[in-house]
């Protein structure tokens, strides 16, 4: 046979083998991604061998982990941090996470001091303040902003999932399942974050808690009025009787109409919220990136005697603007 034809056949076979291998890899990756999305975090942790009680404690992040006797301001911040970590679905223990958050700025600050010493720079109070601010922004500020963004994303997602979960719950009741079995159906069929949250409620009932108390705890953890209305509906139905499926179906319609109104409000306030995000994140991000790629831009002016009071005033103004903007864009519907 002509060598040209043999080479062409070999190239065609190689091309076909590569296409087949790529298709197999794409199908395998897509199936794994679909499987991961279909299983919520609670079921993944149980599948890895964790006990139900340990999984419940890690995902619920109870306030019992907060030390007693703290000042009111610190205690309030600690509870807000625990709620943010719970909503972000962080399973790492709080002491370990706080150790990392506190150690990271110190490590960055120590590295900057070594860099200044190796570069034979004069260590002044202005440069120390600048390096400390950069270390706090890079090691503590940006990670906390990311956790807060993830918590808000999960909170919004659970609001969108809740009417769908009510529809699944109503179908389970109409199919003849009892309330406990219909709730257990949500733990398997619904993805994160609402699937894991209903799973926590089912685990609490399994360990002896009342169903109403378990659902009320879930509503308080996420601070959602929709969940509170769901708990009230179950409580009223258990005391007075009635068609629970019909009650929850009407509640699902009310929640969807309420969400539609909230989306209109968010659309009308989108410009203000985006402005708030840019004014909050952009200064920290710009300062961090510019200091990383061109530290002399800041360090050269840090020797000025007016740098320390001027930079301190700038930080105070930023914090005042941060809390003021958060109050302005925090709309309640």
């Amino acid at each position: 046979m002509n060598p040209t034809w043999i080479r062409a056949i070999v190239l065609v076979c190689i091309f076909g083998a590569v296409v087949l291998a790529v298709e197999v890899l794409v199908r395998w990756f897509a199936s794994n991604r679909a499987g991961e999305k279909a299983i919520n975090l609670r079921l993944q942790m149980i599948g890895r061998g964790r006990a139900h009680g340990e999984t419940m404690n890690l995902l619920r992040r109870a306030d019992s982990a907060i030390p007693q006797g703290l000042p009111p301001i610190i205690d309030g911040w600690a509870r807000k941090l625990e709620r943010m970590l719970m909503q972000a679905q962080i399973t790492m223990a709080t002491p370990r996470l706080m150790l990392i958050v506190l150690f990271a700025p110190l490590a960055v600050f120590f590295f900057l001091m070594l860099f200044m010493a190796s570069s034979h720079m004069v260590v002044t109070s202005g440069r120390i303040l600048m390096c400390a601010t950069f270390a706090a922004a890079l090691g503590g500020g940006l990670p906390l902003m990311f956790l807060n963004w993830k918590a808000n994303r999960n909170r919004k997602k659970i609001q969108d999932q809740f009417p769908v979960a009510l529809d699944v719950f109503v179908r389970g009741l109409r199919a003849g399942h009892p309330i406990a079995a219909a709730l257990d159906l949500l733990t398997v069929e619904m993805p994160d974050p609402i699937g894991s949250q209903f799973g926590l409620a089912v685990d609490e009932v399994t360990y002896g808690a009342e169903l109403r108390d378990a659902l009320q705890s879930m509503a308080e953890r996420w601070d959602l009025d929709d969940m509170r209305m769901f708990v009230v509906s179950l409580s009223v139905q258990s005391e007075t009787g009635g068609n629970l499926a019909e009650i929850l179906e009407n509640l699902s319609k009310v929640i969807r109409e309420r969400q539609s109104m909230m989306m209109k409000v968010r659309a009308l306030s989108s410009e203000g919220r985006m402005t708030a995000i840019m004014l909050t994140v952009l200064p920290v991000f710009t300062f961090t990136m510019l200091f990383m790629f061109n530290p002399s831009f800041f360090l050269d002016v840090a020797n000025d005697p007016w740098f320390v009071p001027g930079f301190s005033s700038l930080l105070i103004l930023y914090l005042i603007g941060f809390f003021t903007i958060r109050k302005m864009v925090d709309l309640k519907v």
Side-chain angles (χ1 to χ4, degrees), residues 129 133 310-320:
L129 177 61
T133 304
F311 190 73
S312 301
S313 302
L314 182 65
L315 293 178
I316 294 174
L317 290 175
Y318 173 79
L319 293 177
I320 294 175

Side-chain angles (χ1 to χ4, degrees), residues 5 9 16 29 67 69 72 101 112 115 140 156 171 179 181 189 206 210 224-225 231 253 285 308 314 326:
W5 284 102
I9 293 174
F29 182 74
V101 172
L112 290 175
F115 172 76
K156 183 179 181 302
R171 292 191 186 100
I179 295 178
E189 297 295 333
T206 303
E210 293 290 337
L224 293 177
D225 294 332
V231 176
K253 294 179 180 178
F285 180 79
V308 175
L314 182 65
R326 283 182 63 90

Side-chain angles (χ1 to χ4, degrees), residues 2 11-12 14 24 35 39 47 61 68 88 102 136 142 163 166-167 181-182 211 214 237 246 257 277 281 323:
N2 192 345
L11 291 176
V12 170
I14 293 174
V24 171
I39 302 175
R61 306 191 72 93
Q68 301 293 329
L102 293 177
L142 293 180
L166 284 182
D167 293 339
L211 177 61
Q237 191 274 339
E246 185 178 355
E257 293 176 356
I277 293 174
V281 179
F323 290 110

Side-chain angles (χ1 to χ4, degrees), residues 85-308:
L85 295 177
M86 184 276 303
Q87 294 178 355
Q89 292 188 319
I90 303 298
T91 57
M92 185 183 298
T94 303
R96 183 180 177 186
L97 183 63
M98 288 297 97
L99 183 62
I100 294 175
V101 172
L102 293 177
F103 178 75
L106 294 177
V108 175
F109 181 77
F110 180 73
F111 175 77
L112 290 175
M113 290 293 103
L114 289 180
F115 172 76
M116 291 177 61
S118 62
S119 302
H120 304 286
M121 292 184 180
V122 179
V123 179
T124 61
S125 58
R127 288 179 175 175
I128 293 176
L129 177 61
M130 179 65 65
C131 294
T133 304
F134 171 75
L138 182 63
L142 293 180
L144 290 177
M145 284 184 179
F146 172 76
L147 291 176
N148 186 49
W149 169 79
K150 189 175 181 181
N152 290 333
R153 186 187 65 174
N154 286 339
R155 193 169 185 272
K156 183 179 181 302
K157 188 175 181 180
I158 205 172
Q159 285 179 323
D160 297 335
Q161 289 178 325
F162 194 69
V164 180
L166 284 182
D167 293 339
V168 175
F169 185 70
V170 168
R171 292 191 186 100
L173 293 176
R174 288 179 173 171
H177 295 291
I179 295 178
L183 284 177
D184 190 64
L185 182 65
L186 296 177
T187 66
V188 180
E189 297 295 333
M190 296 299 297
D192 275 332
I194 200 168
S196 296
Q197 296 305 313
F198 275 110
L200 293 179
V202 172
D203 288 341
E204 290 179 2
V205 173
T206 303
Y207 281 94
E210 293 290 337
L211 177 61
R212 181 177 62 183
D213 296 337
L215 294 175
Q216 183 66 32
S217 299
M218 181 179 68
E220 294 300 328
R221 285 196 301 268
W222 288 87
D223 193 21
L224 293 177
D225 294 332
D226 298 342
M227 289 185 177
R228 293 190 179 97
M229 290 190 290
F230 172 63
V231 176
V232 171
S233 300
L234 287 179
S235 302
V236 172
Q237 191 274 339
S238 63
E239 294 178 359
T240 62
N243 190 345
L244 181 59
E246 185 178 355
I247 294 174
L248 295 181
E249 186 177 9
N250 294 331
L251 177 61
S252 177
K253 294 179 180 178
V254 172
I255 292 175
R256 282 190 168 91
E257 293 176 356
R258 184 170 176 268
Q259 287 184 350
S260 177
M261 184 175 62
M262 290 177 63
M263 292 299 293
K264 293 179 181 179
V265 174
R266 288 179 62 86
L268 294 174
S269 62
S270 59
E271 182 180 357
R273 289 185 294 104
M274 183 56 63
T275 303
I277 293 174
M278 296 301 295
L279 292 177
T280 301
V281 179
L282 189 59
V284 179
F285 180 79
T286 304
F287 169 74
T288 305
M289 293 297 104
L290 188 58
F291 195 94
M292 288 178 60
F293 292 105
N294 189 16
S296 61
F297 181 83
F298 294 105
L299 295 178
D300 290 343
V301 299
N303 294 325
D304 193 281
W306 286 97
F307 177 79
V308 175

